[in-house]
Amino acid sequence: MKIRPILATAVAAAVTAPVLLLSVTPAFADDKPATQAQDKTQDKKQSKPSIAELEKAAAAAKATYDAAVEAESAAKAALEAVLSDTSPLAVAAKAAEAAAVEAAAAKADADQAVVDAQAAVDALPETATEEERTAAATRLTGAQAEAETAREAKATADKNAAEAAEAREDERVAGARKLDQAQKATKAALADKNAADEALAEAKKEGGEGGGDCVPETALTTVVTGLPSVVVAGTQVEFKLRVTNGTEKTMDEVLPFAYVHATDKSGLKSIDDLVHLQWSSASSKKWKTVDNKHYMDAISPLKARTHTDIKMRLKVDASAPAGNGVTFVAGDYFNDNGTCGGNPDLEGYEFLIAAAGSKPGKVGDAKPGATKPKSSDVKAQSSGSRPVSGSLAATGSPSALPQLALASGAAVAIGGGAVFLVRRRRAGTHA
């Protein structure tokens, strides 16, 4: 039974207060059907992850899980502190409530003083002197003034007590929400850890064959140009993905990969369903959607010191809130002799999502998260080299190999310390 190639290392932990693991993605791709002839070809060409790569993935998954457990423990301790009667907001709420009770009592006494003063005025006999009548009226006026002051003091105390109680309740809800997020992150991280451990165990059981010919190749670069640093919801922008073979050897098949991920401003809510990444090429002019499950059509071949450009289009739904986005790109290659490799890094280009109707004015291009080898001295590939047409998912092409995928997991922080995990997925994988 073949091992399913692990397509990305689930490594991430976001640092907040308390620390929370915000997102963990599955480590395995979906299986796709293929014909018997394709299976034979794939058996011949496919190279499985090495034991070392699987051990690295398992260690990364364990580190993610350990961080999630620690984050959950911190969130639980924080909630317990909030629920304590000795927490600052609890003490403040108790004091405000006591002040409100005292103010209510003072108002009741003041109101009774008014009643008594009025009764004294009403009880004056007809024989009362003018001096006695003036004194009684003065006492009534004073009592009424004190009663009004007491009423205002009670209203203020009641408001303060209500606000203090609300602040404490908000703190309780926030603490409970953070703990819930941490518990969900721990559960997801455990699932990834178990999957990575299972893959490693199965590989060791089978003898750890495969993966020896796949090597890192930083001279295979993928560079995005023309993607604005700000994209307004309800619009679409076109840009270019340049895939460059900076080596001295021809690569028989090069597999470009792209993926877009976005959240609202908080970094906690994914809005992936509101952003759409598409591509087209010289041999496939119709726009096709990038769905993070398949590579784009292969470039076959890509000669030494040449490059090929792929048209890309990013569409953001008008209903998308203001937030943050990142477009990841990468490339792998596969040669007819069975050798394979790729750039071990996913390059991330960050951009902001502006609310629909915004007028950001002139903005610069999105920039990559890390510096990559430049390929300005390579010439454009001649038209004689054509990309392979047809979807890899539909054909079950054996070229969709996740070589070096274990080294390709990327964690990119976008606002608020949120960390996003990226995986590469391939078509035509068989169990």
Side-chain angles (χ1 to χ4, degrees):
M1 179 178 179
K2 297 180 182 178
I3 304 171
R4 300 177 185 175
I6 296 181
L7 304 176
T9 304
V11 181
V15 181
T16 59
V19 176
L20 288 178
L21 188 73
L22 298 183
S23 177
V24 179
T25 55
F28 293 97
D30 297 333
D31 288 344
K32 301 293 180 182
T35 65
Q36 183 176 0
Q38 290 166 346
D39 284 343
K40 291 180 179 179
T41 303
Q42 184 140 339
D43 288 342
K44 180 179 179 181
K45 289 187 175 182
Q46 180 168 311
S47 180
K48 294 186 240 181
S50 67
I51 293 294
E53 289 173 328
L54 290 169
E55 287 177 338
K56 182 178 180 180
K62 182 180 183 303
T64 300
Y65 172 68
D66 290 343
V69 171
E70 184 177 351
E72 181 180 341
S73 178
K76 183 177 181 180
L79 179 58
E80 289 176 349
V82 165
L83 295 177
S84 171
D85 290 338
T86 59
S87 71
L89 288 184
V91 172
K94 185 176 182 180
E97 180 62 26
V101 171
E102 184 176 346
K107 180 180 181 300
D109 291 342
D111 289 342
Q112 185 60 47
V114 171
V115 172
D116 294 343
Q118 183 64 56
V121 170
D122 294 341
L124 285 173
E126 293 181 1
T127 58
T129 65
E130 187 64 28
E131 183 179 23
E132 289 174 334
R133 294 182 183 279
T134 300
T138 300
R139 284 193 296 272
L140 177 59
T141 301
Q144 290 172 334
E146 289 180 0
E148 178 60 22
T149 299
R151 185 192 67 76
E152 293 175 353
K154 181 180 182 301
T156 299
D158 288 343
K159 179 181 178 182
N160 292 340
E163 290 177 348
E166 183 178 1
R168 188 187 184 194
E169 183 60 24
D170 288 346
E171 187 179 42
R172 288 173 174 173
V173 171
R177 183 179 295 114
K178 288 180 179 179
L179 177 58
D180 180 64
Q181 291 173 341
Q183 290 172 334
K184 290 178 179 177
T186 300
K187 183 178 180 180
L190 179 59
D192 276 354
K193 175 182 175 298
N194 290 340
D197 289 343
E198 182 181 350
L200 176 59
E202 189 172 352
K204 288 182 176 180
K205 183 178 178 180
E206 293 189 0
E209 298 178 357
D213 293 330
C214 288
V215 296
E217 184 50 79
T218 56
L220 175 60
T221 60
T222 47
V223 178
V224 167
T225 57
L227 174 63
S229 58
V230 179
V231 180
V232 178
T235 68
Q236 63 183 32
V237 295
E238 293 187 12
F239 56 98
K240 180 174 67 179
L241 172 62
R242 172 162 291 186
V243 183
T244 300
N245 176 5
T247 72
E248 301 300 327
K249 297 181 180 180
T250 294
M251 295 177 177
D252 294 329
E253 279 191 325
V254 173
L255 303 169
F257 174 87
Y259 170 50
V260 65
H261 179 61
T263 71
D264 63 1
K265 285 185 176 180
S266 72
L268 298 176
K269 181 181 179 181
S270 171
I271 55 171
D272 283 357
D273 58 332
L274 302 179
V275 294
H276 314 282
L277 189 61
Q278 298 177 309
W279 67 276
S280 69
S281 66
S283 65
S284 182
K285 297 185 181 301
K286 183 179 179 180
W287 287 106
K288 297 182 179 180
T289 299
V290 174
D291 60 6
N292 191 31
K293 294 181 180 179
H294 314 120
Y295 290 97
M296 289 176 273
D297 285 356
I299 303 167
S300 178
L302 185 60
K303 295 180 179 179
R305 311 297 293 174
T306 63
H307 65 253
T308 290
D309 292 334
I310 301 172
K311 292 182 180 180
M312 305 294 295
R313 182 166 71 180
L314 177 65
K315 302 170 68 176
V316 181
D317 291 354
S319 59
N324 310 286
V326 58
T327 296
F328 293 101
V329 294
D332 293 335
Y333 73 86
F334 190 92
N335 292 327
D336 292 341
N337 63 6
T339 58
C340 55
N343 198 313
D345 297 319
L346 279 172
E347 190 75 282
Y349 289 77
E350 298 178 20
F351 59 91
L352 296 177
I353 298 175
S358 299
K359 303 293 183 182
K362 186 176 181 180
V363 299
D365 287 354
K367 301 299 182 182
T371 302
K372 290 293 178 182
K374 295 181 179 179
S375 55
S376 57
D377 58 336
V378 302
K379 61 182 181 296
Q381 177 167 298
S382 67
S383 58
S385 299
R386 63 179 180 81
V388 174
S389 61
S391 168
L392 293 178
T395 62
S397 169
S399 301
L401 183 69
Q403 46 269 43
L404 304 178
L406 289 174
S408 299
V412 176
I414 302 179
V419 177
F420 303 99
L421 305 184
V422 182
R423 59 182 175 181
R424 295 202 214 175
R425 307 182 67 181
R426 63 174 284 269
T429 305
H430 302 283

